[in-house]
Amino acid sequence: MKKIIVTLIALITFIVGSMLYACQFKETAPVKKPNILFCLADDATWKHMSAYGTDWIATPAFDKVADQGLLFSNAYTPNAKCGPSRSIILTGRNTWQLEEAANHLAYFPTKFKTYHEALSEKGYHVGYTGKGWAPGTALNEDGSKRELLVKAYNNMKTEPPTTGISNIDYVANFKSFLDQKTSDEPFCFWYGGHEPHRSYEYGTGVRLGNKTLAQLNSVFPYWPQSDVVKNDVLDYAYELEYFDKQLGGMLAILEERGELENTIIVVTSDNGMPFPRVKGLSYEHSNHLPLAIMWKNGIKNPGRTIEDYVSFIDFAATFLDITGYDAKALGMHPIQGKSLKPIFNSDKEDVIEPEQDYTLLGQERHDVGRPNDVGYPIRGIVKDGFLYLINYENDRWPAGNPETGYTNTDGSPTKTEILELNRSGINHEYWKLNFGKHTKEELYRVSTDENCLYNLAENEELQNIKGELKHILESELKTQQDPRIFGNGAVFDQYPPDRNAHFYERYMNGEDVKAGWINDSDFEKKMN
């Protein structure tokens, strides 16, 4: 009996010891780092994903990401133009902290390292398909071409359904990218759709997208309520649905390969839709963007809607946080944004971090076309249902000079109709709303006036609110060392564009200069 007891004790000791060893091994075993799939539509306003309730656009892939992850109701880019918005995403810094990269058509400063470059140095398999950081020029110190997203995967082509849609096979290129990584290598991939950027084939929304004009009861009230404009909007919708279809293909590939659970998937847009008074300005439809994030291994209680203000400066901070890296240790400049990980870890809806109850906006030079290549500097803040803007040089034309075609607004049927209505004397109001000059200060109650039609900056009852917003904005800009707030804003005008320099002077001197994104009919006779 004694021998049996001794043997049992020895056996129990062995089993317990083995379990403790196994537990210790499990605790010290390395955790696989999450993959990152960042998906960026080119020019899409927030409310036009069907998850937000729009019924004339179907975006099932975006909706799936939102349903199985989080849907954000208050996501903003600080700068509503392609190049600057993408610079902000890649660095986690606000536009006024990026020197030349604050501008569109910029030379990207060599001093700023992107999170793509940093993760590549840490063993991530990194690349992109479609549109990366653009438009602009990025060079290394020795003058050689620099790829801010490390490596392009654009060799795989497809037959696009229209001439306005890219022939890049986004899904096939994503598959090629995954095929080239080792089995245990985490990846960081950027899907930069060229859609729904212009140009469009007019009428494709109806002809190919099975849409009807009757689906659109109205368009934004600062445009004519015409069939021309409605067709233009439906063509945009068709291209946005094409972007979403490619996203769906990528989600399917991840699921097939067993990578879906450990991949954080972020879907958004770089700026608002490519229409007058939206893209290139700083209104609600310009900067307020769609955002859905899915991460099966990292988000508690999926299916929530989040009301917290989220800025594009937060993406880089989030990616570094979830991968376990520090910006300084990676050689990046300090990141201004905050990680969204606390929101992922919460099980609450609506507002998770009430102390962050505002977000900042700002722009400098977008497209060329003004005298001396100057920009249209704006700083702004969104807080408590209000949008407050300061137009520092409001004697300038916000959408670009009329005589050079309002270059900060893409050419389109909608733009043409508004200009023709103004020239013919039929309607001047649409032109004023879309192309006219602005007051020094603007204040909108976007909670009830998302179209930003009623400027309340001079409303006596709102002076305290305006004053508070201005104080928060200027205090933040000082803390973040914005040259504009210290009276040195002209430095942004002095950075040369990477193309079309002195466009205004050359055109006014009779040179046949072209801007490929506007129409010949956009150019006006000189206007005061």
Side-chain angles (χ1 to χ4, degrees):
M1 174 64 78
K2 188 174 179 180
K3 267 176 121 176
I4 294 173
I5 292 172
V6 170
T7 302
L8 284 171
I9 291 172
L11 182 61
I12 292 169
T13 302
F14 174 77
I15 293 171
V16 172
S18 299
M19 290 173 66
L20 289 172
Y21 177 79
C23 289
Q24 181 183 22
F25 178 79
K26 186 175 181 181
E27 288 174 1
T28 58
V31 177
K32 186 177 180 183
K33 291 189 178 294
N35 306 312
I36 300 168
L37 174 60
F38 187 80
C39 308
L40 193 67
D42 196 356
D43 302 353
T45 290
W46 73 277
K47 64 188 307 178
H48 292 152
M49 299 295 190
S50 48
Y52 293 106
T54 298
D55 59 6
W56 45 272
I57 297 180
T59 55
F62 179 91
D63 298 356
K64 178 180 179 179
V65 173
D67 290 342
Q68 299 183 18
L70 303 173
L71 180 66
F72 292 81
S73 296
N74 286 304
Y76 286 79
T77 178
N79 193 325
K81 201 72 171 184
C82 301
S85 183
R86 291 160 192 258
S87 298
I88 291 164
I89 294 168
L90 289 169
T91 63
R93 293 169 67 81
N94 268 311
T95 194
W96 45 86
Q97 298 174 309
L98 287 170
E99 300 178 2
E100 293 98 323
N103 292 337
H104 196 58
L105 304 175
Y107 290 95
F108 192 90
T110 57
K111 66 194 289 185
F112 296 122
K113 182 185 287 188
T114 70
Y115 75 80
H116 264 244
E117 293 171 315
L119 291 179
S120 176
E121 293 171 0
K122 288 297 181 180
Y124 265 75
H125 181 52
V126 177
Y128 76 99
T129 189
K131 183 174 178 178
W133 178 78
T137 299
L139 302 173
N140 294 305
E141 291 284 1
D142 62 3
S144 60
K145 182 181 178 181
R146 177 184 174 193
E147 183 52 80
L148 300 182
L149 295 167
V150 181
K151 185 177 179 180
Y153 288 80
N154 287 324
N155 290 333
M156 310 294 284
K157 305 296 183 184
T158 188
E159 186 69 34
T162 77
T163 57
I165 288 176
S166 171
N167 69 348
I168 296 172
D169 191 329
Y170 303 111
V171 178
N173 282 296
F174 181 50
K175 182 177 182 296
S176 175
F177 165 82
L178 293 177
D179 288 342
Q180 294 182 29
K181 85 178 189 73
T182 61
S183 59
D184 60 345
E185 194 177 24
F187 70 79
C188 176
F189 192 76
W190 171 296
Y191 159 38
H194 285 280
E195 296 76 31
H197 194 287
R198 292 189 184 274
S199 57
Y200 310 144
E201 272 189 28
Y202 185 75
T204 51
V206 172
R207 180 167 56 87
L208 299 177
N210 298 316
K211 300 184 182 300
T212 65
L213 296 183
Q215 287 180 283
L216 277 177
N217 293 327
S218 64
V219 295
F220 290 147
Y222 41 78
W223 304 328
Q225 304 296 305
S226 69
D227 286 354
V228 169
V229 175
K230 289 181 178 180
N231 265 302
D232 201 14
V233 172
L234 292 178
D235 294 346
Y236 152 85
Y238 177 73
E239 290 214 0
L240 184 52
E241 290 178 349
Y242 184 87
F243 166 85
D244 187 76
K245 183 178 179 181
Q246 313 314 304
L247 170 62
M250 293 180 187
L251 296 179
I253 288 175
L254 289 175
E255 195 159 16
E256 290 167 8
R257 299 190 178 214
E259 296 275 17
L260 190 61
E261 285 74 14
N262 196 41
T263 302
I264 181 171
I265 301 159
V266 179
V267 190
T268 185
S269 171
D270 57 355
N271 49 250
M273 62 196 301
F275 281 71
R277 210 174 191 267
V278 183
K279 178 182 176 182
L281 294 180
S282 291
Y283 293 127
E284 178 73 353
H285 295 151
S286 312
N287 296 68
H288 191 173
L289 298 177
L291 176 62
I293 301 178
M294 180 170 74
W295 182 20
K296 290 182 175 291
N297 284 356
I299 290 179
K300 288 178 62 177
N301 191 21
R304 291 178 282 143
T305 297
I306 306 300
E307 300 290 340
D308 294 59
Y309 284 108
V310 173
S311 171
F312 275 26
I313 58 175
D314 298 333
F315 294 137
T318 302
F319 296 150
L320 295 192
D321 188 13
I322 66 173
T323 55
Y325 295 116
D326 175 74
K328 184 176 180 181
L330 293 172
M332 295 179 68
H333 274 66
I335 288 178
Q336 188 64 45
K338 66 183 188 303
S339 173
L340 301 179
K341 193 173 179 181
I343 294 176
F344 300 164
N345 291 337
S346 174
D347 58 3
K348 298 178 182 178
E349 281 200 283
D350 301 327
V351 177
I352 311 303
E353 297 186 299
E355 64 277 6
Q356 185 57 49
D357 61 348
Y358 60 85
T359 191
L360 305 184
L361 316 178
Q363 68 179 61
E364 287 294 335
R365 181 176 65 231
H366 284 170
D367 289 305
V368 295
R370 297 185 188 87
N372 302 311
D373 291 332
V374 297
Y376 191 82
I378 300 174
R379 297 292 184 271
I381 181 172
V382 185
K383 176 178 165 59
D384 297 335
F386 285 93
L387 167 64
Y388 171 69
L389 301 172
I390 303 174
N391 298 298
Y392 289 94
E393 302 288 349
N394 66 310
D395 58 322
R396 300 175 186 173
W397 293 97
N401 274 53
E403 55 269 38
T404 46
Y406 311 96
T407 50
N408 206 30
T409 298
D410 295 355
S412 68
T414 300
K415 181 179 180 180
T416 297
E417 177 147 325
I418 293 168
L419 295 179
E420 288 302 322
L421 286 172
N422 183 61
R423 290 166 184 160
S424 64
I426 295 174
N427 186 301
H428 299 297
E429 293 306 309
Y430 290 127
W431 178 89
K432 290 178 183 177
L433 287 169
N434 290 274
F435 303 109
K437 292 185 177 180
H438 298 170
T439 58
K440 190 78 171 181
E441 293 181 299
E442 297 178 77
L443 178 68
Y444 300 99
R445 196 190 299 267
V446 292
S447 57
T448 57
D449 178 25
E450 69 171 66
N451 300 296
C452 299
L453 295 178
Y454 305 104
N455 184 5
L456 305 173
E458 300 303 318
N459 186 308
E460 291 185 8
E461 296 177 0
L462 297 176
Q463 291 309 297
N464 287 340
I465 289 176
K466 186 180 79 170
E468 179 191 359
L469 293 174
K470 184 174 184 178
H471 173 72
I472 295 171
L473 172 62
E474 293 187 338
S475 296
E476 281 278 12
L477 295 176
K478 287 176 182 175
T479 300
Q480 296 180 30
Q481 296 294 299
D482 179 2
R484 179 68 58 185
I485 202 68
F486 293 109
N488 302 320
V491 67
F492 294 108
D493 290 334
Q494 294 164 9
Y495 295 130
D498 80 326
R499 69 200 77 170
N500 293 326
H502 309 298
F503 183 96
Y504 178 89
E505 287 77 16
R506 290 159 56 200
Y507 175 79
M508 297 302 285
N509 287 330
E511 186 177 338
D512 185 22
V513 291
K514 298 291 184 182
W517 63 96
I518 60 175
N519 300 328
D520 290 342
S521 60
D522 293 345
F523 292 76
E524 305 267 29
K525 294 180 179 180
K526 187 172 181 180
M527 301 176 68
N528 295 320

